[in-house]
DNA sequence: AATCCGACCAACCGCGCAAGG
DNA sequence: GCCTTGCGCGGTTGGTCGGAT
């Protein structure tokens, strides 16, 4: 833990938050951390604007919130990003772009700021060194004979209008064991579906009525790797039901498991989120 | 030993959105 | 519908550290 001496206020541009007389800025001291953490433990988080005064801190609410969210929260995991976490960040960024909070929500214990920093300092450079554009996740110098693409191939390029779809080359080795699941789901309206980590759940059949925005999609042949991945990384408490729903039926999932994951349509670029409390899930978009 | 320089990351900044009046 | 307030997000800044020169 580093607690460098506070740098002078004149080195930063002033903002309304910090122009107030007497408010401290710059790195937090251990004493301030204790005050903030003990106050939130006692009174709970929220009401950030008035929290500093109530807690006895000479900080603006914004600064308190940031310190708590990114550093002091008990659920924040410190330490190196693990290889499987890195792989997940890459995959989620390929799908979601710079939506760091959304990505962080899928990686337990990691904050959006941490993931953003890790991306900017490590992963974007790693992709560039491999000839991959970190914004698009596509080769920077498109060349059919190039081996720069680290991602697996889409078996049917004609069904991949979504910019997130990855072009593949059989010369390219798989990066992780999860790549074997990368196949688009195609429903009977000709739309392609793919989940947030670029894998489908084995073979599938889809039934839908495009006019009323309702679909039934059946997934077969779940395997342990698939469920393990979903349970480890994509479970989320945020279950939202709307009047635009699609019903997902898990067939041959034995035993039924409760997981949370996201889907995206190639055609609409839409994120769908689903809770699977039993063998049925309701999606929103 | 001193200096330089790039990497890392905590913290700041400004904007957009949602809720409430 | 408009305005205010508070919160959350993504982009950016700049202090610290450690390796290279």
């Amino acid at each position: 833990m580093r607690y460098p001496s506070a740098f002078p206020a004149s080195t930063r541009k002033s903002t309304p938050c910090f122009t107030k007389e007497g408010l401290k800025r710059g790195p937090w001291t251990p004493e301030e951390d204790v005050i903030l953490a003990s106050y939130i433990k006692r009174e709970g988080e929220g009401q950030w604007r008035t929290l500093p005064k109530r807690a006895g801190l000479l900080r603006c609410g914004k600064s308190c919130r940031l310190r708590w969210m990114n550093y002091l929260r008990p659920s924040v995991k410190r330490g190196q990003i693990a290889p499987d976490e890195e792989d997940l960040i890459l995959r989620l960024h390929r799908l979601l772009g710079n939506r760091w909070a959304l990505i962080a929500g899928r990686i337990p214990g990691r904050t959006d700021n941490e993931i953003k920093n890790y991306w900017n300092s490590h992963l974007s450079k790693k992709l560039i060194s491999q000839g991959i554009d970190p914004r698009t996740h596509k080769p920077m110098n498109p060349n059919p004979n190039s081996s720069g693409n680290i991602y697996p191939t889409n078996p049917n390029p004609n069904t991949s209008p979504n910019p997130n779809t990855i072009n593949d080359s059989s010369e390219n080795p798989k990066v992780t064991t999860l790549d074997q699941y990368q196949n688009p789901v195609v429903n009977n309206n000709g739309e392609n579906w793919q989940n947030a980590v670029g894998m489908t759940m084995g073979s599938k059949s889809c039934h839908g009525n495009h006019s009323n925005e309702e679909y039934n999609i059946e997934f077969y042949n779940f395997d342990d790797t698939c469920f393990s991945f979903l349970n480890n990384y994509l479970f989320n408490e945020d279950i939202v039901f709307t009047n635009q729903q699609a019903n997902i039926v898990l067939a041959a999932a034995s035993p039924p498991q409760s997981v949370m994951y996201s889907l995206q349509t190639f055609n609409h670029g839409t994120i769908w989120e689903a809770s699977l409390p039993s063998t049925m899930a309701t999606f929103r978009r």
Side-chain angles (χ1 to χ4, degrees):
Chain A
M1 190 185 296
R2 290 184 294 171
Y3 287 101
S5 58
F7 48 91
S10 59
T11 61
R12 290 187 186 275
K13 282 179 275 186
S14 64
T15 68
C17 182
F18 292 101
T19 52
K20 293 177 181 173
E21 286 295 322
L23 285 190
K24 191 166 178 282
R25 56 194 292 180
W28 281 65
T29 64
E31 292 76 21
E32 287 176 309
D33 282 347
V34 169
I35 292 172
L36 179 60
S38 60
Y39 179 83
I40 291 177
K41 187 178 180 182
R42 198 170 62 244
E43 305 291 337
E45 52 179 278
Q47 302 287 311
W48 296 109
R49 190 178 172 84
T50 57
L51 186 146
K53 194 173 182 180
R54 287 182 279 123
L57 285 164
L58 293 173
R59 294 274 181 175
C60 76
K62 217 169 184 179
S63 182
C64 292
R65 179 188 163 274
L66 198 69
R67 185 63 178 171
W68 173 255
M69 293 296 195
N70 288 338
Y71 202 87
L72 296 176
R73 261 190 309 172
S75 59
V76 171
K77 189 196 291 182
R78 314 301 306 177
Q80 282 246 308
I81 302 281
D84 57 338
E85 289 177 312
E86 181 178 308
D87 181 63
L88 186 59
I89 292 169
L90 276 167
R91 291 170 177 284
L92 289 170
H93 186 273
R94 172 161 48 113
L95 181 72
L96 302 169
N98 292 359
R99 298 163 75 180
W100 306 116
L102 211 53
I103 294 172
R106 301 293 187 218
I107 306 176
R110 301 297 184 183
T111 69
D112 55 351
N113 206 38
E114 186 177 15
I115 290 171
K116 179 173 58 182
N117 284 332
Y118 189 73
W119 178 269
N120 290 329
S121 60
H122 292 89
L123 292 182
S124 65
K125 291 170 187 171
K126 187 176 179 179
L127 290 183
I128 289 170
S129 73
Q130 293 173 335
I132 305 294
D133 186 332
R135 292 167 304 170
T136 63
H137 292 253
K138 291 179 178 177
M140 287 187 284
N141 296 310
N143 178 353
N145 297 322
S146 164
S147 59
N149 190 354
I150 64 170
Y151 300 110
T153 307
N154 184 334
N156 184 0
N158 295 328
T159 62
S160 304
N162 187 307
N164 290 319
T165 301
I166 308 301
N167 293 325
D168 192 23
S169 162
S170 57
E171 297 174 6
N172 297 332
K174 294 173 181 176
V175 210
T176 76
T177 56
L178 294 171
D179 286 332
Q180 62 187 298
Y181 297 106
Q182 175 133 359
N183 292 296
V185 181
V186 183
N187 70 12
N188 59 359
N189 291 310
E191 294 185 59
N192 301 313
W193 297 64
Q194 187 177 40
N195 73 15
V197 290
M199 61 186 183
T200 65
M201 309 306 164
S203 58
K204 62 278 173 184
S205 70
C206 308
H207 316 282
N209 181 338
H210 189 249
S211 61
N212 65 8
E213 298 287 339
E214 289 187 3
Y215 301 89
N216 290 317
I217 301 177
E218 293 177 10
F219 296 100
Y220 300 97
N221 305 327
F222 276 67
D223 65 25
D224 290 338
T225 306
C226 212
F227 264 122
S228 168
F229 183 82
L230 291 170
N231 281 318
N232 284 341
Y233 292 110
L234 300 179
F235 182 75
N236 194 302
E237 300 290 340
D238 298 329
I239 303 169
V240 177
F241 298 95
T242 73
N243 57 5
Q244 287 193 324
Q245 296 178 338
N247 294 321
I248 307 301
V249 178
L250 300 185
S254 179
Q257 299 196 28
S258 179
V259 296
M260 169 93 180
Y261 63 99
S262 298
L263 286 181
Q264 179 176 47
T265 67
F266 283 157
N267 289 349
H268 300 127
T270 305
I271 304 299
W272 295 71
E273 293 188 350
S275 162
L276 309 177
S278 61
T279 57
M280 179 73 81
T282 301
F283 279 60
R284 65 155 177 162
R285 75 173 185 177

